[in-house]
Amino acid sequence: MQGAQVTAIAYETVQRDDGILPLLEPMSEVAGRLAAQVGAEYLDKSHNGRGVLMGGVPGVAPAEVVVVGAGIVGSNAVKVAVGTGAHVTVLDLNVERLRWLDDIHQGRVATLVSSPKILDDAAVGADLLIGAVLVPGRSAPKVIKRSTIAAMPKGSVFVDVAIDQGGCAETSRPTTLSDPIYVEEGVQHYCVANLPALVPRTSTLALTNATLPYLLEIANLGTEEAMRQDESLLRGLNTYRGDITYPAVAESQDQSWHEVILDS
Amino acid sequence: MQGAQVTAIAYETVQRDDGILPLLEPMSEVAGRLAAQVGAEYLDKSHNGRGVLMGGVPGVAPAEVVVVGAGIVGSNAVKVAVGTGAHVTVLDLNVERLRWLDDIHQGRVATLVSSPKILDDAAVGADLLIGAVLVPGRSAPKVIKRSTIAAMPKGSVFVDVAIDQGGCAETSRPTTLSDPIYVEEGVQHYCVANLPALVPRTSTLALTNATLPYLLEIANLGTEEAMRQDESLLRGLNTYRGDITYPAVAESQDQSWHEVILDS
Amino acid sequence: MQGAQVTAIAYETVQRDDGILPLLEPMSEVAGRLAAQVGAEYLDKSHNGRGVLMGGVPGVAPAEVVVVGAGIVGSNAVKVAVGTGAHVTVLDLNVERLRWLDDIHQGRVATLVSSPKILDDAAVGADLLIGAVLVPGRSAPKVIKRSTIAAMPKGSVFVDVAIDQGGCAETSRPTTLSDPIYVEEGVQHYCVANLPALVPRTSTLALTNATLPYLLEIANLGTEEAMRQDESLLRGLNTYRGDITYPAVAESQDQSWHEVILDS
Amino acid sequence: MQGAQVTAIAYETVQRDDGILPLLEPMSEVAGRLAAQVGAEYLDKSHNGRGVLMGGVPGVAPAEVVVVGAGIVGSNAVKVAVGTGAHVTVLDLNVERLRWLDDIHQGRVATLVSSPKILDDAAVGADLLIGAVLVPGRSAPKVIKRSTIAAMPKGSVFVDVAIDQGGCAETSRPTTLSDPIYVEEGVQHYCVANLPALVPRTSTLALTNATLPYLLEIANLGTEEAMRQDESLLRGLNTYRGDITYPAVAESQDQSWHEVILDS
Amino acid sequence: MQGAQVTAIAYETVQRDDGILPLLEPMSEVAGRLAAQVGAEYLDKSHNGRGVLMGGVPGVAPAEVVVVGAGIVGSNAVKVAVGTGAHVTVLDLNVERLRWLDDIHQGRVATLVSSPKILDDAAVGADLLIGAVLVPGRSAPKVIKRSTIAAMPKGSVFVDVAIDQGGCAETSRPTTLSDPIYVEEGVQHYCVANLPALVPRTSTLALTNATLPYLLEIANLGTEEAMRQDESLLRGLNTYRGDITYPAVAESQDQSWHEVILDS
Amino acid sequence: MQGAQVTAIAYETVQRDDGILPLLEPMSEVAGRLAAQVGAEYLDKSHNGRGVLMGGVPGVAPAEVVVVGAGIVGSNAVKVAVGTGAHVTVLDLNVERLRWLDDIHQGRVATLVSSPKILDDAAVGADLLIGAVLVPGRSAPKVIKRSTIAAMPKGSVFVDVAIDQGGCAETSRPTTLSDPIYVEEGVQHYCVANLPALVPRTSTLALTNATLPYLLEIANLGTEEAMRQDESLLRGLNTYRGDITYPAVAESQDQSWHEVILDS
């Protein structure tokens, strides 16, 4: 790469002043919504699930859905799960996010500040458990214990959207779209690392929406000037004229990295 | 009364072709809405309740409210309980009523076709249990067992709106507005027979709304002609020119009754 | 059967005075809700669909869902499709049903009185088309033409809930849970005859809710007396003491049938 | 205290960078929701109120509820009042807060930028007036005049949630849970200083949710290091090793205070 | 006509068993929705109105809209008025209709059982008053008095949708689309007899939806047989083979009428 | 002006730290809501429009409304258009705004990240197109091409709320309240520069709400001190003691400007 003098800005490292990763956000929205949809699918009998319908029907109780994490992934999973008529509980450490969900769903969703005991109490009764605990740039914490999974009803479903970052359950291991599921402790685990690939048409449009403004900046200004004017791009710089400039990348490649000094 | 040649039409016996008692309906609406409000009140600590808030707050689970019966009383109780943010489950034998509630609340309420086991399972976890099982013209069935009440959390509340007709729990006995509550099996029982008296301004208007059309008929046509033209009134006739004409009244007074032959 | 002197009341023929088949209704509710869920599933890439997400995400258009028929099946399909965030259009000949949907969804759903041209115009742009045209006791009319299906986008999905009654599209043929899908004119056809079998836990409870009142009547009164008191049961009688009493059954078996004369 | 070398961080003075008092917020949520509930209670006849039901019933007008202040207390009071079916008007000087309420309630609530005349016009017709005007760290302004209270209907209710800070009406004086009410100018005044004590189960959980993260910081890092890393805690420091460090506390105790110099 | 032996079925007299006039209903829906829209228009200054915006904006009170009549016209007017953010009150004598509106609007609309005093109290504060009191086949009652109109704010608007049947206010007289408005007692009166003509595209489709099924019956069966099989059509017969068969038509033409004896 | 030593702060240049123009915001809210209302009006036949009703009626499709821009103007236009029952699509470059709209409308509105092609595809099918693309302090970009307008249905309506800043369509030119409309490419153009003047009562109150706090500051502190304490006012200073202090004003008057040095 050094020989090629490559200057590379990586999607997943472009970062705004407020810490948000704007090119990952739309993928989190897609993944969150899909998590509820895929969970519903694996609850049915043809997928060896418990055979319960998300919203039940009048006279029959709806499914219990528990979403761990109220970030972008989690709040999008909540939106779709609520839409199907399920009874939804969402947990997070951040009470501000829960207030937001309470406001826009007007009491339709139960919100709980998470703790190991509260998470355990909520999860053991779940037909569908969605893991959406993501810490930007770090491994997901293993907040869901094996014992919790083991206490869930047989045939229930766990979807781990944090699997890209190692998963947020002790029982999680990555699966693929072609072989998406495994059973552990009697619970179906759906741990596909790249969920948005299920809906490429929607995902591509969403990604393009987020990417296009940055592409236009680079096309109009040239790479250097674009990075000068927009620090989001500069933060996303991984290699500059062949040198690695992103410490985490250097570290993972066991190489050294250089401070960026943009050419004028 | 016979000497006085009284012709009397009783409020609670006026009945439409479709079986509805139009002068009782608005009182059922008031009672249902009050049941949820009064239940919330007795859940607080100053009333010796469990000390839980109906809707919780973001991060803290809402109260569990179970309404037994989805008729006019029950569906009005549901409406207010949902409005406070509680998690509400409603039971009835009539799945049509549950469909209706599912439609207008759009999945916000859990609906269950009732059976002794299902009722028991739902009720034992309730912070607030509302009994709204009313069979027109008959004693309310004792669908809520003493053992169910005993299994509810200490300090939880049971409001029996069916107390006018004997109550729908084995533990119910009538109370009064001045001494409304007693504790049985650790559960506060609110069994005031005349709930709408709590809000006389609203109740009087509601009752007048329902009564006025009949009064106008009688005023405009005279009693006989009004009954001829509107069978609802005729069905409500209790005494005619001094004779008892309503079998149930006669029976309860241990007297005989006469077929009505209206004067021309 | 005649030798065995069997008296049989068939689920699917029990019928109320208002023409409703009370033991089929809950299955229609389950099937309608599942139709939207299954349709969403087959839109994804792992099922060879178009790869679109029902609700899209902010900035990306939602899927177009068209539901043909606004009866119990159709209105339940609408409910779940709306919940996922899709743009939903529903067609029916009966404007009363459409008014009802407009009232409870408050303008959230586009409603169209159906005609061949209007149906065709709506369907050709659909990502997901749901056939819910059921005429009780008759073959479903083939209201969806092959040319309409052929004009839909490649990879779109058609779910035919009317397949039990022969299907409502010219391209429909029954499939099974183990082999649920086939492609015709570039559109995935999901025509599983017994959709509720996907969620047996929910379906069994729903069916039991509807059946139990009739079972109790029979258990308490005996079969004859139950049929005498409840014409719904009598209408559902297929064989009585070994003789076929239901014309359509006799006809399909090429046998003769007898008028019912209940023993006293 | 100086002898004891106490280092004390007070709940009500922990403050985030954005000025929010994170340990008071959940209590404001509880108090706001309770204000609407308690107000409904005191409107009933057994509490000597006007005898009106919050939501009325179909055909009878709902109660008029006016909430002064659209902060956390006020917006939570609005949420519950709206849920009961009342007609709710909310006033604030901050139009941004009103925009927010208009957005999440979608026009269901009337919002008014407050001025003495507008407040007066709105309040005199109220069945229930809720005072939720709180200025962090200061006495509440007396925005509700005695003449306004006097113009309200006899038997109406005023709940002053700002009573902790002296109350926001000229007629307010603190009451207690055991003797919560007094009548002034014909209006029932409910001015209990510690409303959340009514629902200790909910309040304790809400408070713990907010407190736990700070406790964990202190437990994991030690008090000094925790304050170094999290200025919210440092701002909440009242005494350090026996010296008063919080000016307002020193002032109210008529003592001197010291700048904090944390030990290294 | 007699010479021509004309057989004529009139749109506005086709009537179902339940009394509904199916070919007028869609026009009532259109007219009701337009009434709210046109009323909003004439409230603006360019139309000499009061200059108020239906929904106000956050911080400014919304317009007061009062709808008299909760039938098809009135409930459609309510729907649009609510949608604009106005504060809406609806009055009717029929509490069942008000219950229905309360259910689907979930307390968003104030409902009042009408009486002269209640109507007067509600109307005098209205920015927009919509008259939707229609009695099928009769002159509309003059429920809105001149004195009520005179007490409304100057520049407020009254839309009389009942003008086809003579209008429901003492101050109403028919106007035309080309000269739609006049001022009486300081209030703008919009009394266009044929409101649906404003939106011919929508109206024609709506009318066709309702008409087509009857046309198909006539086309498929012939006029006589269609009337035999569908009494709705028979009720709508105005002339048969040149003789007038509809009493009201005969009366208004001062002619005699004949009993229908359909040819076989 | 210099002779008069005028110190002038201009409404439209008062600006908060976050860039918001607080005295223009309420006018944007009014204009946005009016845009939808006025658009509906000009769709009717008496205004030479297409003759479609915003919400259609049950069985007839609603109007297609496309709003370009999701700022304050656009999101208020969306709110009213949704309320009338129309099918609404909103476009913006800023996906955060679209997320917000998706959250509060819960999927009721289609949101699209704008691009020339996407805008064109959406607009050509619109019955009503609302231009709400405003860039503070600059000419509005001409994002809507003449060819797009030309492709819209004949009789459709375009409301350009950005006309104050030159308009956001190639076909826009300012009109007045007394002559508000012109037809270009078969589409009615409503380009009134001062929309809020249509509802002066609402607009004046809204403007006063926003202005009063600044007036009070100036009245209480004097102009200089008020500007010292509140930079929003200082930013809005146009002339100080006769000298122009606002570069854009100086430039447009072809004069020089001076740095502000406030007197002490």
Side-chain angles (χ1 to χ4, degrees):
Chain A
M1 195 138 49
Q2 199 165 11
Q5 295 282 313
V6 170
T7 292
I9 297 171
Y11 260 58
E12 62 271 30
T13 56
V14 172
Q15 188 173 27
R16 295 198 319 213
D17 294 354
D18 56 5
I20 282 176
L21 306 167
L23 303 185
L24 292 192
E25 265 197 328
M27 293 303 93
S28 297
E29 291 179 313
V30 172
R33 294 181 180 204
L34 275 172
Q37 179 178 313
V38 161
E41 180 182 337
Y42 280 89
L43 275 173
D44 81 28
K45 211 62 198 177
S46 75
H47 293 86
N48 304 310
R50 294 195 77 209
V52 298
L53 182 58
M54 288 288 270
V57 286
V60 180
E64 289 290 327
V65 176
V66 174
V67 179
V68 186
I72 296 179
V73 169
S75 58
N76 277 280
V78 164
K79 212 178 257 191
V80 170
V82 162
T84 61
H87 181 234
V88 182
T89 302
V90 57
L91 299 95
D92 203 297
L93 289 173
N94 182 346
V95 74
E96 304 277 342
R97 289 294 300 177
L98 300 180
R99 272 178 198 137
W100 164 248
L101 288 173
D102 192 62
D103 277 345
I104 64 168
H105 290 289
Q106 291 284 322
R108 173 73 175 74
V109 175
T111 61
L112 296 176
V113 170
S114 194
S115 74
K117 169 155 176 36
I118 282 174
L119 193 161
D120 195 66
D121 287 353
V124 298
D127 294 293
L128 170 57
L129 177 66
I130 295 175
V133 181
L134 294 130
V135 186
R138 281 200 242 155
S139 286
K142 301 287 187 192
V143 296
I144 300 169
K145 303 295 164 203
R146 175 172 291 274
S147 57
T148 304
I149 295 285
M152 287 173 65
K154 297 306 146 198
S156 56
V157 176
F158 169 55
V159 178
D160 193 343
V161 193
I163 195 69
D164 277 347
Q165 299 177 285
C168 61
E170 291 178 355
T171 51
S172 299
R173 57 178 193 263
T175 59
T176 61
L177 283 178
S178 57
D179 188 9
I181 209 102
Y182 63 92
V183 176
E184 190 90 23
E185 306 287 354
V187 172
Q188 304 210 69
H189 285 59
Y190 186 98
C191 304
V192 171
N194 185 17
L195 261 179
L198 277 175
V199 287
R201 200 173 292 257
T202 300
S203 297
T204 303
L205 288 169
L207 196 54
T208 308
N209 284 341
T211 316
L212 195 60
Y214 293 106
L215 293 184
L216 289 175
E217 285 180 3
I218 293 172
N220 290 331
L221 301 171
T223 310
E224 269 85 7
E225 188 56 25
M227 288 192 286
R228 255 186 224 103
Q229 292 189 15
D230 184 344
E231 280 204 50
S232 306
L233 283 172
L234 185 58
R235 284 188 201 99
L237 187 69
N238 275 221
T239 67
Y240 186 61
R241 301 187 177 263
D243 292 325
I244 297 178
T245 57
Y246 202 85
V249 169
E251 203 175 314
S252 71
Q253 303 285 328
D254 206 14
Q255 301 204 13
S256 61
W257 62 280
H258 300 72
E259 282 281 349
V260 187
I261 302 170
L262 292 178
D263 290 355
S264 53
Chain B
M1 193 137 52
Q2 200 166 10
Q5 294 282 315
V6 170
T7 293
I9 296 171
Y11 262 56
E12 63 270 30
T13 55
V14 173
Q15 189 173 24
R16 295 198 320 215
D17 293 354
D18 55 5
I20 282 177
L21 306 167
L23 303 186
L24 292 192
E25 264 197 329
M27 293 304 93
S28 297
E29 291 179 314
V30 171
R33 294 181 180 205
L34 275 171
Q37 178 178 313
V38 161
E41 180 183 337
Y42 279 90
L43 275 173
D44 82 28
K45 211 62 198 175
S46 75
H47 293 87
N48 303 312
R50 293 196 77 209
V52 298
L53 183 58
M54 289 288 271
V57 286
V60 180
E64 289 290 329
V65 176
V66 174
V67 179
V68 186
I72 296 179
V73 169
S75 60
N76 277 280
V78 164
K79 212 178 257 192
V80 170
V82 162
T84 62
H87 180 235
V88 182
T89 302
V90 57
L91 300 96
D92 202 297
L93 289 173
N94 182 345
V95 74
E96 305 277 342
R97 290 293 301 177
L98 301 179
R99 271 177 199 138
W100 164 248
L101 288 173
D102 192 61
D103 277 345
I104 64 168
H105 290 289
Q106 291 284 320
R108 173 71 176 76
V109 175
T111 60
L112 296 176
V113 170
S114 195
S115 74
K117 169 154 176 38
I118 282 174
L119 193 160
D120 196 65
D121 287 352
V124 298
D127 294 295
L128 170 57
L129 178 66
I130 295 176
V133 181
L134 294 129
V135 185
R138 281 202 241 155
S139 287
K142 300 286 187 192
V143 295
I144 301 169
K145 303 293 165 205
R146 175 171 291 271
S147 57
T148 304
I149 294 285
M152 288 172 65
K154 297 305 145 200
S156 56
V157 175
F158 170 55
V159 178
D160 193 342
V161 193
I163 195 69
D164 278 347
Q165 299 176 284
C168 61
E170 290 178 356
T171 52
S172 299
R173 58 177 192 264
T175 59
T176 61
L177 283 178
S178 57
D179 187 10
I181 209 102
Y182 63 92
V183 176
E184 190 90 23
E185 306 287 353
V187 172
Q188 305 210 66
H189 285 59
Y190 186 98
C191 304
V192 171
N194 185 15
L195 261 179
L198 276 175
V199 288
R201 200 173 293 258
T202 300
S203 298
T204 303
L205 288 169
L207 195 54
T208 307
N209 284 341
T211 316
L212 195 60
Y214 293 106
L215 292 185
L216 289 175
E217 285 179 3
I218 293 172
N220 291 332
L221 301 172
T223 311
E224 268 85 7
E225 187 56 27
M227 287 191 287
R228 253 185 227 105
Q229 292 189 15
D230 184 343
E231 280 204 49
S232 306
L233 283 172
L234 184 58
R235 285 189 200 97
L237 187 69
N238 276 220
T239 66
Y240 185 61
R241 302 188 177 261
D243 292 325
I244 297 179
T245 57
Y246 201 85
V249 170
E251 202 176 315
S252 71
Q253 304 284 329
D254 206 16
Q255 302 204 14
S256 62
W257 61 279
H258 301 72
E259 283 282 349
V260 187
I261 302 169
L262 292 178
D263 292 353
S264 52
Chain C
M1 194 139 50
Q2 199 166 8
Q5 296 279 314
V6 169
T7 292
I9 296 171
Y11 261 56
E12 62 272 29
T13 54
V14 172
Q15 188 174 25
R16 294 197 321 212
D17 293 355
D18 55 5
I20 282 177
L21 306 167
L23 303 187
L24 291 192
E25 265 197 328
M27 292 305 93
S28 297
E29 291 179 313
V30 171
R33 295 182 179 204
L34 276 172
Q37 178 178 313
V38 161
E41 180 182 338
Y42 280 89
L43 275 173
D44 82 27
K45 211 62 197 176
S46 75
H47 293 87
N48 303 312
R50 293 195 77 209
V52 298
L53 183 57
M54 289 287 271
V57 287
V60 180
E64 289 291 328
V65 176
V66 174
V67 180
V68 186
I72 296 180
V73 169
S75 60
N76 276 279
V78 165
K79 212 178 255 191
V80 170
V82 162
T84 61
H87 181 234
V88 182
T89 302
V90 58
L91 299 96
D92 203 298
L93 290 173
N94 182 345
V95 73
E96 305 277 341
R97 288 295 300 176
L98 301 179
R99 272 178 199 137
W100 163 248
L101 288 174
D102 191 62
D103 278 345
I104 64 168
H105 290 288
Q106 291 283 320
R108 173 71 176 75
V109 176
T111 60
L112 296 176
V113 170
S114 195
S115 75
K117 170 156 173 38
I118 282 174
L119 193 161
D120 195 66
D121 287 352
V124 298
D127 295 294
L128 170 58
L129 178 66
I130 295 176
V133 181
L134 294 130
V135 185
R138 281 202 243 155
S139 286
K142 300 287 186 191
V143 295
I144 300 170
K145 304 294 165 205
R146 175 171 291 271
S147 58
T148 304
I149 294 285
M152 289 173 63
K154 298 304 143 199
S156 56
V157 177
F158 169 55
V159 179
D160 193 342
V161 193
I163 196 68
D164 277 349
Q165 299 176 283
C168 60
E170 291 178 356
T171 51
S172 300
R173 57 176 193 264
T175 60
T176 61
L177 283 178
S178 57
D179 187 10
I181 210 102
Y182 63 93
V183 176
E184 190 90 22
E185 306 287 354
V187 172
Q188 305 210 68
H189 285 58
Y190 187 99
C191 305
V192 171
N194 185 15
L195 262 179
L198 276 175
V199 288
R201 199 173 293 258
T202 299
S203 297
T204 303
L205 288 168
L207 196 54
T208 307
N209 285 340
T211 317
L212 195 60
Y214 294 105
L215 293 185
L216 290 176
E217 285 179 3
I218 294 172
N220 290 332
L221 301 171
T223 310
E224 268 86 7
E225 186 56 25
M227 288 192 287
R228 251 185 228 106
Q229 292 189 13
D230 184 343
E231 281 203 48
S232 307
L233 283 172
L234 184 57
R235 286 189 199 97
L237 187 69
N238 276 220
T239 67
Y240 185 62
R241 302 189 177 261
D243 292 326
I244 296 179
T245 57
Y246 201 85
V249 169
E251 201 174 317
S252 72
Q253 304 284 328
D254 206 16
Q255 300 204 15
S256 62
W257 61 277
H258 301 72
E259 283 281 350
V260 188
I261 302 168
L262 293 178
D263 291 354
S264 52
Chain D
M1 193 138 51
Q2 200 167 9
Q5 294 281 314
V6 169
T7 292
I9 296 171
Y11 262 56
E12 62 271 29
T13 55
V14 172
Q15 187 173 26
R16 296 196 319 211
D17 293 355
D18 55 5
I20 282 178
L21 306 167
L23 303 186
L24 292 192
E25 265 197 329
M27 292 304 94
S28 297
E29 291 179 314
V30 171
R33 295 181 180 206
L34 276 172
Q37 179 178 313
V38 161
E41 179 183 337
Y42 279 90
L43 274 173
D44 81 28
K45 212 62 199 177
S46 74
H47 293 87
N48 303 311
R50 292 196 76 209
V52 297
L53 183 57
M54 289 288 270
V57 287
V60 181
E64 288 291 326
V65 176
V66 174
V67 179
V68 186
I72 296 178
V73 169
S75 59
N76 277 279
V78 165
K79 212 178 256 190
V80 170
V82 162
T84 61
H87 181 234
V88 181
T89 302
V90 57
L91 300 95
D92 203 298
L93 290 173
N94 183 345
V95 72
E96 304 277 343
R97 288 294 301 178
L98 301 179
R99 272 178 198 136
W100 163 248
L101 288 174
D102 192 62
D103 277 346
I104 65 168
H105 290 287
Q106 291 284 321
R108 174 70 175 76
V109 175
T111 61
L112 296 176
V113 170
S114 195
S115 75
K117 170 158 174 38
I118 281 174
L119 192 160
D120 195 65
D121 287 353
V124 298
D127 294 293
L128 170 58
L129 177 66
I130 295 176
V133 181
L134 294 131
V135 185
R138 281 202 242 154
S139 286
K142 300 286 187 192
V143 296
I144 300 170
K145 304 294 167 203
R146 175 172 291 273
S147 58
T148 304
I149 295 284
M152 289 172 64
K154 297 306 144 197
S156 57
V157 176
F158 169 55
V159 178
D160 194 341
V161 192
I163 197 68
D164 277 348
Q165 299 176 284
C168 61
E170 291 178 356
T171 51
S172 299
R173 57 177 193 264
T175 59
T176 60
L177 283 178
S178 57
D179 187 10
I181 209 102
Y182 63 92
V183 175
E184 190 89 23
E185 305 287 354
V187 173
Q188 305 211 70
H189 285 59
Y190 186 98
C191 304
V192 172
N194 186 15
L195 261 179
L198 276 175
V199 288
R201 200 173 293 257
T202 299
S203 298
T204 302
L205 288 169
L207 195 54
T208 308
N209 284 342
T211 317
L212 196 61
Y214 293 104
L215 292 185
L216 290 176
E217 285 180 4
I218 293 172
N220 290 333
L221 301 171
T223 311
E224 269 85 8
E225 188 55 26
M227 287 192 286
R228 254 186 225 103
Q229 293 189 14
D230 184 344
E231 281 203 49
S232 306
L233 283 172
L234 184 58
R235 286 190 200 96
L237 188 70
N238 275 221
T239 68
Y240 185 61
R241 301 188 177 264
D243 291 325
I244 297 179
T245 57
Y246 201 85
V249 169
E251 203 175 314
S252 72
Q253 303 284 329
D254 206 14
Q255 301 203 15
S256 61
W257 61 279
H258 301 72
E259 282 280 350
V260 187
I261 302 168
L262 293 178
D263 290 355
S264 53
Chain E
M1 194 140 51
Q2 201 166 7
Q5 294 280 315
V6 169
T7 292
I9 297 171
Y11 262 56
E12 61 272 31
T13 54
V14 172
Q15 188 174 25
R16 295 198 320 214
D17 294 353
D18 55 5
I20 282 177
L21 305 167
L23 303 186
L24 293 192
E25 265 197 328
M27 292 305 93
S28 297
E29 291 179 314
V30 171
R33 293 182 180 205
L34 276 172
Q37 178 177 314
V38 162
E41 180 183 338
Y42 279 89
L43 275 173
D44 80 28
K45 211 62 198 175
S46 75
H47 293 85
N48 303 311
R50 294 197 75 208
V52 298
L53 182 58
M54 289 288 272
V57 287
V60 180
E64 289 290 328
V65 176
V66 173
V67 180
V68 186
I72 295 180
V73 169
S75 59
N76 277 279
V78 164
K79 212 178 257 192
V80 170
V82 162
T84 62
H87 180 234
V88 182
T89 302
V90 57
L91 300 95
D92 203 298
L93 290 173
N94 182 344
V95 74
E96 304 278 341
R97 289 294 300 176
L98 301 179
R99 270 176 200 137
W100 163 248
L101 288 174
D102 192 63
D103 277 345
I104 64 168
H105 290 288
Q106 290 283 321
R108 174 69 176 77
V109 175
T111 61
L112 296 176
V113 170
S114 194
S115 75
K117 170 156 176 37
I118 282 174
L119 192 161
D120 195 66
D121 287 354
V124 298
D127 294 294
L128 171 57
L129 177 66
I130 295 175
V133 181
L134 296 130
V135 184
R138 280 202 242 155
S139 286
K142 300 286 186 193
V143 296
I144 301 171
K145 303 293 165 205
R146 176 171 291 271
S147 57
T148 304
I149 294 285
M152 288 173 64
K154 297 307 144 197
S156 56
V157 176
F158 169 55
V159 179
D160 193 342
V161 193
I163 196 68
D164 277 348
Q165 299 177 285
C168 61
E170 292 178 355
T171 51
S172 299
R173 58 176 190 263
T175 59
T176 60
L177 282 177
S178 56
D179 187 10
I181 210 103
Y182 63 93
V183 175
E184 190 89 23
E185 306 286 354
V187 172
Q188 306 210 68
H189 285 58
Y190 186 99
C191 304
V192 172
N194 185 15
L195 262 179
L198 277 175
V199 288
R201 201 174 292 259
T202 300
S203 298
T204 303
L205 288 169
L207 196 54
T208 308
N209 284 341
T211 316
L212 196 60
Y214 294 105
L215 292 184
L216 289 175
E217 284 179 6
I218 293 172
N220 290 333
L221 301 171
T223 311
E224 268 85 8
E225 186 56 27
M227 288 191 286
R228 252 185 227 104
Q229 292 189 14
D230 184 342
E231 280 203 49
S232 307
L233 283 171
L234 184 57
R235 284 188 201 99
L237 188 69
N238 276 220
T239 67
Y240 185 62
R241 302 187 178 261
D243 292 325
I244 298 179
T245 56
Y246 201 85
V249 169
E251 202 174 316
S252 71
Q253 304 284 328
D254 206 16
Q255 302 203 16
S256 61
W257 62 279
H258 301 72
E259 282 282 349
V260 188
I261 302 169
L262 293 177
D263 291 354
S264 53
Chain F
M1 193 136 54
Q2 200 166 10
Q5 295 280 315
V6 169
T7 293
I9 296 170
Y11 261 57
E12 62 271 30
T13 55
V14 172
Q15 188 172 25
R16 295 197 320 212
D17 294 354
D18 55 6
I20 282 178
L21 305 167
L23 303 186
L24 291 192
E25 265 198 328
M27 292 305 92
S28 298
E29 292 179 314
V30 171
R33 294 182 180 205
L34 276 172
Q37 179 178 313
V38 162
E41 180 183 337
Y42 279 89
L43 275 172
D44 80 30
K45 211 62 197 176
S46 73
H47 294 85
N48 303 310
R50 294 196 76 210
V52 298
L53 183 59
M54 289 288 271
V57 287
V60 180
E64 288 291 327
V65 177
V66 173
V67 180
V68 186
I72 296 178
V73 169
S75 59
N76 277 279
V78 165
K79 212 178 256 191
V80 170
V82 162
T84 62
H87 181 233
V88 182
T89 302
V90 57
L91 300 95
D92 203 296
L93 290 172
N94 182 344
V95 73
E96 304 278 342
R97 288 294 301 176
L98 301 179
R99 270 175 200 139
W100 163 248
L101 287 173
D102 191 62
D103 277 345
I104 64 168
H105 290 288
Q106 291 284 321
R108 172 71 175 74
V109 175
T111 61
L112 296 175
V113 170
S114 195
S115 75
K117 171 158 175 35
I118 282 175
L119 192 161
D120 196 64
D121 288 352
V124 298
D127 294 293
L128 170 58
L129 177 66
I130 295 175
V133 181
L134 295 129
V135 185
R138 281 202 242 155
S139 287
K142 301 286 186 192
V143 296
I144 301 170
K145 304 295 166 204
R146 175 171 291 272
S147 58
T148 304
I149 295 285
M152 289 173 64
K154 297 308 146 197
S156 57
V157 177
F158 169 54
V159 179
D160 193 341
V161 193
I163 196 69
D164 278 347
Q165 300 176 285
C168 61
E170 291 177 354
T171 51
S172 300
R173 57 176 192 264
T175 59
T176 61
L177 284 178
S178 56
D179 187 11
I181 210 103
Y182 62 93
V183 175
E184 189 89 23
E185 305 287 355
V187 172
Q188 307 210 67
H189 285 59
Y190 186 98
C191 304
V192 172
N194 186 15
L195 261 180
L198 276 175
V199 288
R201 201 173 292 258
T202 300
S203 297
T204 303
L205 289 169
L207 195 55
T208 307
N209 284 342
T211 317
L212 195 61
Y214 292 106
L215 292 185
L216 290 175
E217 285 180 5
I218 293 172
N220 290 333
L221 300 172
T223 311
E224 269 85 7
E225 187 56 27
M227 288 192 287
R228 254 186 225 102
Q229 291 189 14
D230 184 343
E231 281 203 50
S232 307
L233 283 172
L234 185 57
R235 284 189 201 99
L237 187 69
N238 276 221
T239 67
Y240 185 62
R241 302 188 176 262
D243 292 326
I244 297 179
T245 56
Y246 201 85
V249 169
E251 202 175 315
S252 70
Q253 304 285 326
D254 205 15
Q255 301 205 14
S256 63
W257 61 279
H258 301 73
E259 282 281 349
V260 188
I261 303 169
L262 292 177
D263 290 354
S264 53

